[in-house]
Amino acid sequence: MKDRTMPNTGLLNIYFTAGYPQLESLHYILPALMEGDVDFVEIGLPYSDPLADGPVIQMAGKKALDNGMNIDVLFDQLSKHSALMIQKPVYLMGYFNQMLQFGIEKFLIACQKVKVTGLIIPDLPMEYFEKEMKDLFEKYGIKITFLVSPLTSEERIKKASELSTGFVYVVSSPSITGTKAVLDEKMILYLKKLAGMKLNRVLLLGFGIQDKKSFELASAYLDGAIVGTSFLKQLDKGETDKNQILQFLAKFKKN
Amino acid sequence: MNYTQLPNPEGFYGVYGGAFIPEILYPNVKALQDTYQVMLADIGFQEEYNDLLKNYVGRPTPLYEAKRLSQHLGFRIYLKREDLCHTGAHKINNTIGQIILAGRMGKRRIIAETGAGQHGVATATVCALKGLDCIVYMGEHDIQRQAANVARMRMLGATVIPARSGSKTLKDATNEAIRDWISHAEDTHYIIGSAIGPHPYPDLVSRLQSVISKEIKIQLLDQFGRSTPDYVVACVGGGSNAAGAMFDFLDDEKVKLILAEAAGKGINSGSTAATSQIGKKGVIHGCMTLLMQDQYGQITEPYSLSAGLDYPGIGPMHAHLIEQRRVKVLSATDDEALRAVLELSRLEGIIPALESAHALAVLHQLTIKRDEVVVVSLSGRGDKDLGIYMENLKMDEI
């Protein structure tokens, strides 16, 4: 949990899709993020049917699949960055069927081997995880992050917080990724409610965080925020070298 | 075996089913899970549902003994005429039920996915009937091949939104509908048209469609002196008409149940929708079931000339019934289905939907004794497919 008395101490989590814009792009994006002022890295496994994602991440995923990205290629790419992988927590975000077909245990072993910190699986229900998968995650020391939204009851927020061994992914509004977060009174009430629950987990706000203002709002009440779609848009513009990525990151954290 | 007692409280039929949904949808799906059985059993619901089925949909639909087709194939065939339902297919049995439920849950905005357009039309129809907003997601490719149904939906006041991702067919329309639901979870009810999706949809849709098998029992007893046929045959994409035509026979193992999948250009041609034969266990649209996918779990594109059957999954109840060998799956190619369309047209004066023709086509693959009785679910009428028929049946040569 962050010290909420200090301004601009929010934690920044940057998402990018593996294999996008080019198959090998991870080899320069990951080092740049490790060097930049980023606290978490989240890497998306491109999927054919990403139900929780908006057009930008859908398109990036499709391009990445067309480029030839798959789980084996991703693990192979990550294996070349073992020194970087321990610098900051790296989470993989993918859909349950990808893990299921690869083999849940095999997937966790591969994560452990390349030093992935944890997983975010938006269509994996907490109850199913608890019953069928929790022990395996513990066995291989892989963390799990669950999502909560403004529609989630307090009881389930507590459950998500208890079950999440990584951070808790706080969805800004009932929507898909990339929908602009509306920083209104309702949002502030929601963030206040979460902050007031004194959950013993890092809470990061995601979906539609695209500028300093929304990042700071998230950091004022929670521990920080996740930026995905707007980073992909940056990559899509071709602004992909290290300095350009560092400049992008500075938009959020610079005083 | 008590198949009609399934699914279990978590929505599982054996290993299939469940509710693999993003957390945002949890409150909606949970509310449906907790209340659908009570709502369906409610006397007020039953009265309104049965009244609308009778006076609006035109039920019971006839069970018609197809004598010339029977003579041609060498066994006794009855057609369950779902094609005579209002809007031209069985789909409306489900939408009538769900629109009443939506009203009871206080939802004013209705969304649906559609493949061939029949479910979209059936949803647009009941929304007009109840004065509710209706948004239908339809693959861009399907919009092109089912233009008449798109026009119908628009006339009925629905907004038709093209799904432009993937193969631009039913799977992609369903993705878009789920994304819409995620973004409008509070005021929107999603009317799924097939026996797929997160629990309780497969069960809800199956039970609302089970009126088909209930009528078959009564009508067969009346016409033939016994309430059970030897076979029930139905086509299967997601599986709603098969679920409905077979539901009340599931626990009577004397009744043989045959599902007809769309083989497209052939099961091993790479252009097929024969999900149960080339699919593997996985999660699609919120449920664990059999689906077409690659080794990395990427869902592969199905193919069938029929827009209502080219779905890469199959209902979880069906997946379980297949695994338990309670149902047998056969498949028909595009060409076999087209031949069956013409056969029924010429022998019985009924032009079937291309989907339903798959069920007729597999009759040729079965070895059935002369005195055995086969009920075929004629799930829809062929009007919507006339363009496809004109293009593929070489009208001037036949």
Side-chain angles (χ1 to χ4, degrees):
Chain A
M1 300 271 280
K2 77 173 187 103
D3 178 354
R4 291 180 208 279
T5 59
M6 297 285 288
N8 296 323
T9 53
L11 302 172
L12 180 60
N13 178 342
I14 295 286
Y15 167 95
F16 69 97
T17 301
Y20 178 83
Q22 280 90 39
L23 181 62
E24 306 286 336
S25 296
L26 181 143
H27 294 309
Y28 60 81
I29 297 172
L30 187 65
L33 294 178
M34 289 297 172
E35 189 180 321
D37 196 356
V38 170
D39 304 282
F40 291 82
V41 175
E42 191 180 320
I43 304 173
L45 277 166
Y47 189 49
S48 56
D49 294 78
L51 287 181
D53 286 308
V56 173
I57 294 181
Q58 282 177 45
M59 196 211 59
K62 186 174 186 317
K63 179 90 191 296
L65 290 173
D66 291 345
N67 288 342
M69 178 49 70
N70 63 45
I71 298 174
D72 285 320
V73 172
L74 176 59
F75 281 130
D76 182 58
Q77 290 186 353
L78 292 176
S79 72
K80 298 187 171 112
H81 297 282
S82 47
L84 288 181
M85 292 293 286
I86 50 173
Q87 287 182 11
K88 290 170 186 174
V90 177
Y91 283 74
L92 297 188
M93 186 269 176
Y95 287 81
F96 183 43
N97 196 46
Q98 296 177 283
M99 215 182 151
L100 200 62
Q101 296 316 312
F102 195 81
I104 293 170
E105 188 156 15
K106 190 178 150 200
F107 192 89
L108 294 171
I109 291 169
C111 286
Q112 189 189 44
K113 205 170 150 199
V114 300
K115 306 198 163 49
V116 163
T117 306
L119 300 178
I120 305 161
I121 310 163
D123 60 342
L124 175 65
M126 291 192 271
E127 292 73 13
Y128 192 85
F129 170 80
E130 208 173 0
K131 206 167 146 192
E132 307 281 343
M133 295 158 68
K134 190 166 176 260
D135 294 346
L136 275 180
F137 273 67
E138 278 167 11
K139 182 175 170 189
Y140 295 103
I142 304 299
K143 293 181 175 174
I144 180 90
T145 277
F146 285 103
L147 291 81
V148 300
S149 90
L151 303 181
T152 309
S153 67
E154 268 195 39
E155 186 193 347
R156 275 187 84 73
I157 292 171
K158 281 182 192 148
K159 189 178 171 77
S161 167
E162 279 160 21
L163 273 182
S164 295
T165 42
F167 62 92
V168 175
Y169 196 128
V170 177
V171 175
S172 63
S173 64
S175 62
I176 50 179
T177 56
T179 310
K180 192 176 188 301
V182 184
L183 311 177
D184 58 6
E185 196 57 34
K186 208 171 153 191
M187 167 86 84
I188 289 168
L189 278 174
Y190 167 54
L191 298 181
K192 270 187 182 162
K193 177 177 110 174
L194 285 163
M197 286 178 75
K198 310 242 179 280
L199 302 165
N200 190 27
R201 286 282 180 269
V202 169
L203 304 183
L204 300 180
L205 188 70
F207 286 30
I209 306 300
Q210 48 196 345
D211 51 23
K212 192 171 176 183
K213 200 174 156 202
S214 46
F215 179 71
E216 283 186 345
L217 183 84
S219 306
Y221 294 96
L222 308 179
D223 300 290
I226 304 154
V227 175
T229 295
S230 82
F231 184 57
L232 289 185
K233 282 183 181 163
Q234 159 94 6
L235 297 176
D236 191 42
K237 278 189 286 184
E239 294 174 8
T240 52
D241 74 29
K242 194 174 81 183
N243 285 335
Q244 286 167 321
I245 290 175
L246 292 177
Q247 254 175 30
F248 174 84
L249 299 176
K251 271 204 322 200
F252 294 92
K253 284 235 202 171
K254 201 176 159 192
N255 282 312
Chain B
M1 198 57 192
N2 241 336
Y3 292 105
T4 50
Q5 300 299 310
L6 294 174
N8 75 9
E10 284 79 43
F12 280 91
Y13 302 83
V15 298
Y16 300 110
F20 296 87
I21 45 162
E23 183 63 30
I24 299 173
L25 291 177
Y26 182 86
N28 281 29
V29 170
K30 185 75 167 68
L32 256 186
Q33 287 174 358
D34 290 346
T35 56
Y36 82 105
Q37 283 166 322
V38 176
M39 285 195 285
L40 289 184
D42 177 74
I43 292 170
F45 171 86
Q46 282 295 331
E47 277 176 6
E48 188 176 359
Y49 179 59
N50 290 327
D51 175 66
L52 286 171
L53 287 186
K54 183 176 174 213
N55 298 311
Y56 187 70
V57 175
R59 302 202 72 91
T61 58
L63 183 72
Y64 163 71
E65 185 176 3
K67 287 189 177 148
R68 293 192 71 214
L69 183 66
S70 299
Q71 195 180 24
H72 181 67
L73 288 173
F75 44 84
R76 205 159 179 171
I77 299 164
Y78 287 85
L79 302 176
K80 181 58 175 163
R81 299 289 309 274
E82 293 301 297
D83 60 318
L84 294 176
C85 286
H86 177 42
T87 71
H90 71 290
K91 290 290 187 189
I92 197 161
N93 302 328
N94 169 48
T95 61
I96 288 275
Q98 287 205 43
I99 205 75
I100 301 172
L101 296 185
R104 291 177 167 225
M105 292 184 293
K107 308 283 185 181
R108 301 293 307 166
R109 183 175 176 274
I110 302 296
I111 57 170
E113 84 295 336
T114 196
Q118 290 304 109
H119 174 58
V121 169
T123 304
T125 298
V126 296
C127 287
L129 180 70
K130 293 283 184 181
L132 299 178
D133 293 340
C134 182
I135 292 103
V136 178
Y137 290 90
M138 186 168 186
E140 199 167 43
H141 179 55
D142 289 337
I143 287 179
Q144 286 159 11
R145 58 180 170 171
Q146 298 289 350
N149 272 344
V150 176
R152 284 187 187 102
M153 287 184 267
R154 291 190 171 137
M155 283 186 71
L156 292 160
T159 305
V160 180
I161 301 181
R164 295 200 165 94
S165 55
S167 59
K168 305 176 177 62
T169 63
L170 179 57
K171 166 181 87 98
D172 314 291
T174 309
N175 288 340
E176 287 304 321
I178 293 175
R179 290 185 187 116
D180 178 306
W181 204 24
I182 288 172
S183 306
H184 301 89
E186 281 174 292
D187 65 343
T188 298
H189 176 62
Y190 178 17
I191 301 189
I192 296 184
S194 204
I196 57 159
H199 174 61
Y201 281 102
D203 193 39
L204 174 61
V205 175
S206 298
R207 284 176 198 276
L208 289 171
Q209 290 291 0
S210 70
V211 62
I212 303 172
S213 54
K214 286 183 175 64
E215 286 177 7
I216 293 172
K217 275 185 148 175
I218 295 165
Q219 291 166 322
L220 206 58
L221 182 65
D222 184 41
Q223 294 178 39
F224 188 64
R226 71 176 218 226
S227 62
T228 52
D230 295 294
Y231 290 83
V232 179
V233 184
C235 66
V236 61
S240 65
N241 99 86
M246 296 174 179
F247 199 83
D248 277 32
F249 301 114
L250 289 177
D251 293 335
D252 183 352
E253 306 231 9
K254 291 192 297 297
V255 182
K256 300 179 197 72
L257 306 173
I258 310 290
L259 301 176
E261 285 188 330
K265 291 176 180 164
I267 290 173
N268 298 311
S269 66
S271 297
T272 185
T275 308
S276 77
Q277 313 199 34
I278 64 162
K280 284 186 304 176
K281 193 177 116 178
V283 171
I284 182 171
H285 298 142
C287 71
M288 184 85 75
T289 188
L290 293 170
L291 65 122
M292 291 166 52
Q293 54 186 323
D294 70 9
Q295 58 170 314
Y296 296 108
Q298 307 288 347
I299 296 169
T300 50
E301 307 293 354
Y303 164 82
S304 166
L305 187 59
S306 147
L309 299 181
D310 61 351
Y311 184 67
I314 186 171
M317 179 179 86
H318 305 68
H320 178 65
L321 294 171
I322 291 165
E323 196 181 85
Q324 297 295 311
R325 297 175 193 270
R326 176 64 190 99
V327 299
K328 184 175 174 169
V329 186
L330 297 173
S331 65
T333 62
D334 291 346
D335 289 342
E336 287 166 336
L338 285 166
R339 278 200 293 276
V341 167
L342 211 51
E343 187 176 73
L344 191 73
S345 305
R346 294 293 171 86
L347 290 173
E348 298 291 348
I350 299 168
I351 299 174
L354 187 52
E355 290 77 15
S356 320
H358 286 72
L360 296 163
V362 302
L363 295 177
H364 290 270
Q365 301 167 21
L366 290 164
T367 311
I368 298 175
K369 294 189 205 94
R370 263 205 97 70
D371 57 346
E372 287 186 306
V373 171
V374 180
V375 173
V376 180
S377 175
L378 196 68
S379 54
R381 66 180 182 222
D383 307 39
K384 70 176 175 61
D385 294 316
L386 266 186
I388 294 171
Y389 296 162
M390 286 161 75
E391 203 178 310
N392 289 277
L393 283 174
K394 301 194 179 87
M395 294 292 176
D396 45 354
E397 292 174 25
I398 57 177

